[in-house]
Amino acid sequence: MKKNLSLTLISFFFYFQNIAQDIFKGYEHLFTPPLHYTAYRISDGLRIDGEIDEIAWEKAPWSVYFTNIEGDQKPHPAFNTRFKMLWNSSHLYIAAELEEPHVWATLTQHDQVIFHDNDFEVFIDPDGDTHDYFEIEVNALSTIFDLFLSKPYRNRGVVSTAWNAADLKTAVHVEGTLNDPGDKDKKWTVEMAIPFAALQNNNAPPDPKINALWRVNFSRVQWDTEIAEGKYKKKINPATGKPFPEHNWVWSPQGVINMHYPERWGYLRFANEAKTGHDDFALPPEEQSKKYLWLLYYKQKEYLRNNGKYAGSLSQLELPPKVTAVKANDCTLRLSSGGMHFNATLACEGQEAGWQIDQEGKIIPLK
C-alpha cells in the first residue's frame, strides 16, 4: 500500500512538473522577456531642434537597435534605428536616430494617418494596466498623429484622435535632402519633449518618481519604395495592385504583428542622475509573475473562439491551480467565469500584491 501511495505521489509530482513545463507551449512567441531602458533625470530642459547634440544627450545611453516586430527569428531590419530618453520634473524627452538612404515624407496635416509614410512611433502606458494608453507618430516632415486608446483594438478599444498631446514639442533633422531621389541620404533624427501633463488619465497627470516603471515601446514603419518620374513611390505588388506591406521594426519585440499588445511592451525606469555607467535595473518579481495571468488570458480568448464562450475552470484551459513564480515561490491561480466574461487572480507567496485580469485584458492589483 505504501509503495503504491509513493508511486502515486511521484506520478502526481511529475504530472504537474510536466504541466508547468508545457503550459506555455504554442505561446512562446508572446513570452520573450521585454526589454528595458533606464532614463536618467536632468535638472534643466532641452532645446528641441532634432539635432541630438546637447551634452545631456551625449551622456544618455542609446537603446539597442530595433529588430523585427515578431522577433529575431524574422528578417532583420534593413536600416538601424535606436533611441535615447531623459526626463525632468515636467517632461519625458525622446531622441531617435533612423538610418535611411532615401528620406521622404508626404503627409503634412496633423492627425493624418502618419504610418502611411515612413514614420517613428511612441507608445506609452504610464500605469501598465494595458488600458488608457497613448500613441504618438511622426514622419520626416515632423507631422504628428497623436491618439489615445481606452483599451486595445482586440478589446474593441475606443480610439480618440481628438486627444492632442498638449504642448508637445517635436523636431526632425535630416542628414541629406528630404524628398530628393537624386542623392543618397544618411539618416533622419527626431526629438520630442512630451509633457507629463499631456498624459492625463481621469484628469490626473502621471508624476513619476525615482524607480517608477512605465510600459513603453517604439516602432518604425518602413515602406518599400522606388523612383518613378523623379519622385519616390511605394512599390506595387503586381499580384494585388497595391503597395507591398510595410515593414514593422520595433525596440522590444511584440511576438505578433500588432503594436497594440501593451503587455508586450518594454519597461521604462525613471532613475536619478547617472553616477556610473552601470544600469542596475531589476524587474520586480510580481511583473514576472503576471505572465501566468497573460497565459490564461490568451488561452481564454482561444477557448472563446473555439467554443463560443469562456472556459469555466482552469482544467478546461489545461492550467494547474499552482504555478511557480520567481525565487521558486508558489502562486495560486483562481478563475471565475460567467460564460461571456471571466475574472482570474494570481496570488504569490512572498509578494505583497496579487493581480487580477478580466476578459478585457485589464490587469490591476488584487483588492
Side-chain angles (χ1 to χ4, degrees), residues 78-130:
F79 310 118
N80 288 329
T81 311
R82 57 183 180 173
F83 69 85
K84 298 182 177 189
M85 283 190 278
L86 293 165
W87 68 293
N88 62 16
S89 60
S90 59
H91 287 79
L92 175 65
Y93 296 96
I94 299 171
E97 177 187 80
L98 299 85
E99 292 183 358
E100 175 61 72
H102 296 288
V103 182
W104 65 273
T106 63
L107 303 175
T108 59
Q109 295 182 15
H110 183 86
D111 279 350
Q112 286 183 282
V113 182
I114 297 301
F115 67 76
H116 289 166
D117 283 349
N118 290 347
D119 79 349
F120 176 74
E121 303 178 355
V122 180
F123 298 82
I124 301 175
D125 182 8
D127 61 9
D129 67 355
T130 77

Side-chain angles (χ1 to χ4, degrees), residues 75-275:
H76 194 71
F79 310 118
N80 288 329
T81 311
R82 57 183 180 173
F83 69 85
K84 298 182 177 189
M85 283 190 278
L86 293 165
W87 68 293
N88 62 16
S89 60
S90 59
H91 287 79
L92 175 65
Y93 296 96
I94 299 171
E97 177 187 80
L98 299 85
E99 292 183 358
E100 175 61 72
H102 296 288
V103 182
W104 65 273
T106 63
L107 303 175
T108 59
Q109 295 182 15
H110 183 86
D111 279 350
Q112 286 183 282
V113 182
I114 297 301
F115 67 76
H116 289 166
D117 283 349
N118 290 347
D119 79 349
F120 176 74
E121 303 178 355
V122 180
F123 298 82
I124 301 175
D125 182 8
D127 61 9
D129 67 355
T130 77
H131 285 212
D132 301 319
Y133 61 88
F134 306 89
E135 178 181 351
I136 301 172
E137 303 177 4
V138 61
N139 67 4
L141 285 166
S142 201
T143 308
I144 295 296
F145 180 30
D146 45 8
L147 58 156
F148 169 84
L149 289 94
S150 61
K151 51 187 175 181
Y153 294 115
R154 66 189 178 195
N155 303 114
R156 303 174 304 282
V158 176
V159 179
S160 174
T161 57
W163 173 79
N164 292 319
D167 298 319
L168 169 72
K169 294 181 181 178
T170 64
V172 170
H173 175 72
V174 178
E175 289 198 24
T177 49
L178 179 65
N179 290 330
D180 182 359
D183 64 0
K184 187 173 183 179
D185 308 315
K186 183 177 180 181
K187 62 184 176 182
W188 56 292
T189 53
V190 178
E191 266 188 306
M192 290 185 181
I194 304 174
F196 293 129
L199 305 177
Q200 293 193 27
N201 183 17
N202 295 324
N203 297 316
D207 182 21
K209 306 300 183 185
I210 301 299
N211 289 324
L213 290 180
W214 287 12
R215 301 305 298 269
V216 302
N217 212 348
F218 301 88
S219 173
R220 175 179 179 175
V221 170
Q222 187 79 9
W223 296 89
D224 291 329
T225 60
E226 58 187 358
I227 299 171
E229 299 178 353
K231 295 181 180 180
Y232 293 117
K233 293 180 61 176
K234 293 177 183 175
K235 282 187 178 180
I236 301 298
N237 183 343
T240 64
K242 299 178 181 180
F244 284 100
E246 75 278 12
H247 303 282
N248 296 278
W249 303 332
V250 305
W251 168 52
S252 193
Q254 294 286 111
V256 61
I257 306 177
N258 189 337
M259 287 303 298
H260 296 274
Y261 275 48
E263 71 276 12
R264 295 291 302 139
W265 296 352
Y267 289 90
L268 161 62
R269 179 173 72 103
F270 293 87
N272 214 337
E273 296 178 8
K275 304 255 190 266

Side-chain angles (χ1 to χ4, degrees), residues 298-355:
Y298 298 142
K299 281 178 170 282
Q300 279 283 45
K301 292 301 179 180
E302 183 177 11
Y303 193 94
L304 175 66
R305 288 191 295 270
N306 293 334
N307 299 278
K309 62 180 180 179
Y310 289 115
S313 67
L314 292 173
S315 61
Q316 289 177 297
L317 300 174
E318 298 182 336
L319 288 174
K322 296 286 186 180
V323 292
T324 302
V326 183
K327 298 181 180 178
N329 290 332
D330 287 335
C331 297
T332 300
L333 273 173
R334 290 189 173 90
L335 172 65
S336 60
S337 174
M340 295 308 295
H341 58 83
F342 73 86
N343 183 275
T345 63
L346 178 80
C348 300
E349 295 176 5
Q351 295 181 18
E352 293 183 7
W355 297 90

